Amino acid sequence: MLLSKILADVEYKSDTPSELIDSLEISDITYDSRRATADTMFVCLIGAVSDGHNYAAGAYDCGCRVFMVQRQLDTLAPDAVQIVTADTRAALALASAALFGYPSRSLLIIGVTGTKGKTTTAAMIGSILNAGGINTATIGTTGIVINGETTPTKNTTPESYELHKAFRKMVDSGVSCVAMEVSSQAIYMRRVVGIHFHIGVFTNLSRDHIGGVEHPTFEHYMMCKAELFRQCRYGIFNADDPHYTDMVKNARSINTTFGVNMRSGVRCDLAARDIRSWHKGNLLGVSFVCRTLMRDCEYSLRMPGEFNVYNALAAIAVAQRMNISERTVVDALAKTTVRGRFEIVTPGADSQLDDVVMIIDYAHNAVSMRAALETIRRYKPKRLVVLFGSVGGRTKQRRAELGEVAGQLADFCIITSDNPDFEPPEDIIHDIEESVKQTACPYVTFVDRRDAVRYAIDHALPGDLILFAGKGHEQYQIIEGEYRHYDEREEIAAAVTARAAKI
């Protein structure tokens, strides 16, 4: 593609004559200098810990001669074409859209933002719309799903280049709609610049991702979330959230609200009442009645917790906006399960575990851990066991908070590894242990998470509910910078089989 066409929507300056820019052919864009070639454009992105301008010379050595920069680089030879723009991240988004032929314009895009519930809500929306005959892809923490095929992602919302590449694949594969998680980092890092969202969804807001390489303040975090609703035609908001007013005040969308039975004092467009938990064998769930301006309808979910009622209300609101029949929505939600989000694992091989509920969840901070454990408590298990760890190389405060919450709400804690990366897992476990010690909760520790899972299964008792927290959808552990295969489901199944063999 001609460089001038790739830059059609980008504001820039260049010392290179316009005639040359008009004649240059570019086959691809990269922001990884190791992938630069003679026919690519290298984009210098400025991140929290590294600056792509420092790698431009390496890209030049690989044969690259076209560079998108935020400042003129004297380190490049005179034959290098430098496209100078105020924000290379925004420019990458616009250039990527052009490179792939503006695929987002052929899709109805539904963006879901909030601190919690994005993955589940997007999955619910995808299930409903697909059941309603609208070929819908999803993008988020659990990957990019197109026609049932999943591609892993490094970020909740991929970098703009990968995003538009995925959009192109969707359009070429017959997809007409996509439900995607839109993280605050994606908005902050300009990954969704230039994308028009048909519908935006706000789930909730709490303190998270503050400090370090993320958001400088909670206000900045909230502002980034709210920015989505300046790019939407329709907005769907949780009116029960304390920050609802802040989120909606600058929105340019036509808005719909949802909540639980006038809890916030706001009469919502959709409201849940008669929320009832149910427990059948190894399964947990929740039922509720959804009141709309037209009528009431009863729904049942194969996932527990009032927070999932909120997620379902958001998905129902999207379905109404997309003209999906009520019967289709009821049936789709009754079948929806989400990998790693209160995912219930059935024991299978060992009849002694028929009365044991095992749940895999991504709960990896104090907010999500508290919500998970408080939800489970409502089902009155004979014993609530939680297996968890924390990541390495990040805030130690999270470890203390996790230990405190788990110790307060669980009957037994199994402290183990999560993604220790370059930090000794023993140090992370020790930090958590110090916090659990301040409670009355008994605990054990295992450095190897597989050993921890085997212990949990071997010592399971009738009526137990075991929460395997932290890994969720992930199929790896990060150990000394290496992504090593690890799937909680596989480890639970192996432990169940081993226990059955001992009987």
Side-chain angles (χ1 to χ4, degrees):
M1 179 180 284
L2 289 173
L3 178 60
S4 57
K5 289 189 176 180
I6 292 175
L7 300 175
D9 302 313
V10 178
E11 292 187 11
Y12 68 92
K13 295 179 181 178
S14 180
D15 292 339
T16 302
S18 58
E19 312 87 70
L20 179 57
I21 291 176
D22 288 341
S23 64
L24 280 173
E25 286 278 351
I26 296 296
S27 67
D28 206 355
I29 300 171
T30 184
Y31 50 91
D32 184 340
S33 61
R34 296 166 296 184
R35 297 183 178 179
T37 63
D39 57 353
T40 60
M41 176 172 69
F42 177 66
V43 181
C44 298
L45 298 183
I46 299 176
V49 295
S50 65
D51 185 342
H53 294 80
N54 297 331
Y55 299 92
Y60 183 92
D61 291 342
C62 291
C64 182
R65 292 297 180 267
V66 180
F67 299 82
M68 183 178 284
V69 298
Q70 283 184 209
R71 60 179 184 271
Q72 194 80 20
L73 295 176
D74 298 333
T75 54
L76 295 176
D79 63 334
V81 176
Q82 297 194 48
I83 307 298
V84 185
T85 185
D87 185 342
T88 51
R89 287 191 172 276
L92 174 63
L94 298 173
S96 297
L99 176 70
F100 290 107
Y102 301 100
S104 67
R105 297 177 183 177
S106 300
L107 296 165
L108 286 176
I109 302 178
I110 301 166
V112 183
T113 198
T115 304
K116 303 299 174 189
K118 296 187 296 295
T119 300
T120 300
T121 302
M124 287 176 168
I125 292 168
S127 295
I128 291 168
L129 298 187
N130 279 307
I134 300 173
N135 191 341
T136 302
T138 58
I139 299 175
T141 308
T142 55
I144 299 172
V145 183
I146 302 173
N147 294 329
E149 179 183 339
T150 302
T151 303
T153 55
K154 290 184 178 179
N155 302 309
T156 297
T157 309
E159 186 56 76
S160 58
Y161 172 89
E162 281 74 27
L163 200 52
H164 288 282
K165 185 177 182 179
F167 288 159
R168 179 75 268 158
K169 182 178 180 181
M170 290 174 192
V171 173
D172 294 344
S173 301
V175 170
S176 57
C177 182
V178 55
M180 62 178 286
E181 298 179 52
V182 183
S183 67
S184 57
Q185 281 290 301
I187 296 171
Y188 184 20
M189 295 298 178
R190 313 286 277 162
R191 294 175 195 156
V192 294
V193 165
I195 295 175
H196 173 74
F197 291 87
H198 183 61
I199 300 173
V201 177
F202 167 63
T203 60
N204 52 66
L205 197 67
S206 58
R207 297 189 69 86
D208 199 9
H209 305 292
I210 313 299
V213 299
E214 298 182 286
H215 297 278
T217 64
F218 176 76
E219 289 69 28
H220 184 271
Y221 174 57
M222 180 168 62
M223 178 189 69
C224 287
K225 294 285 190 189
E227 186 64 26
L228 173 65
F229 301 96
R230 297 170 64 84
Q231 295 176 233
C232 297
R233 183 177 182 185
Y234 299 106
I236 293 172
F237 292 87
N238 175 3
D240 286 352
D241 189 86
H243 302 285
Y244 159 67
T245 303
D246 295 313
M247 293 298 294
V248 78
K249 65 182 178 183
N250 293 318
R252 295 174 178 171
S253 48
I254 300 168
N255 298 329
T256 299
T257 56
F258 64 91
V260 172
N261 203 28
M262 292 282 292
R263 180 170 295 172
S264 61
V266 176
R267 183 169 179 80
C268 299
D269 300 303
L270 291 87
R273 61 175 177 82
D274 298 337
I275 299 173
R276 306 174 305 283
S277 299
W278 58 263
H279 180 186
K280 299 176 183 177
N282 299 113
L283 300 179
L284 304 179
V286 63
S287 299
F288 65 96
V289 174
C290 177
R291 175 192 57 75
T292 69
L293 299 178
M294 299 295 294
R295 53 166 289 167
D296 289 356
C297 181
E298 183 158 352
Y299 294 84
S300 184
L301 308 177
R302 282 189 58 186
M303 49 186 77
E306 187 177 89
F307 52 86
N308 278 318
V309 173
Y310 279 97
N311 296 334
L313 288 172
I316 294 166
V318 170
Q320 288 187 347
R321 186 61 74 181
M322 298 290 286
N323 296 314
I324 304 297
S325 74
E326 188 177 81
R327 186 71 257 162
T328 298
V329 180
V330 170
D331 292 343
L333 285 178
K335 299 172 184 175
T336 300
T337 59
V338 185
R339 185 179 178 89
R341 297 303 189 277
F342 258 85
E343 178 186 355
I344 297 171
V345 181
T346 53
D350 185 359
S351 61
Q352 288 195 354
L353 296 177
D354 283 347
D355 195 30
V356 176
V357 178
M358 294 177 280
I359 297 175
I360 297 174
D361 192 69
Y362 191 49
H364 60 286
N365 59 30
V367 173
S368 54
M369 180 70 86
R370 180 175 294 278
L373 293 176
E374 287 180 344
T375 294
I376 292 169
R377 273 288 175 210
R378 296 190 185 101
Y379 289 85
K380 300 179 179 178
K382 289 185 178 178
R383 192 174 64 142
L384 173 50
V385 178
V386 58
L387 181 153
F388 70 106
S390 191
V391 296
R394 300 189 194 175
T395 173
K396 290 189 177 183
Q397 183 61 32
R398 176 183 290 186
R399 302 168 193 177
E401 292 169 349
L402 278 168
E404 180 182 3
V405 170
Q408 289 173 349
L409 296 176
D411 297 310
F412 191 81
C413 290
I414 303 173
I415 309 169
T416 186
S417 296
D418 192 301
N419 291 327
D421 204 0
F422 288 105
E423 189 172 358
E426 295 89 346
D427 293 352
I428 303 169
I429 291 169
H430 177 265
D431 289 340
I432 298 171
E433 184 180 6
E434 288 301 302
S435 188
V436 175
K437 282 180 180 178
Q438 305 305 311
T439 71
C441 186
Y443 68 91
V444 292
T445 65
F446 293 92
V447 170
D448 189 321
R449 193 173 179 106
R450 290 179 174 86
D451 291 340
V453 171
R454 284 193 289 270
Y455 179 90
I457 298 301
D458 284 345
H459 292 79
L461 302 172
D464 276 0
L465 198 156
I466 308 172
L467 174 66
F468 298 86
K471 296 305 296 174
H473 63 282
E474 294 178 350
Q475 298 182 58
Y476 58 82
Q477 280 189 290
I478 307 174
I479 300 174
E480 296 182 352
E482 180 184 346
Y483 282 71
R484 301 183 187 179
H485 178 76
Y486 178 90
D487 189 320
E488 203 97 281
R489 291 145 214 79
E490 293 175 1
E491 298 307 322
I492 292 171
V496 168
T497 301
R499 171 172 166 152
K502 296 175 186 176
I503 299 173

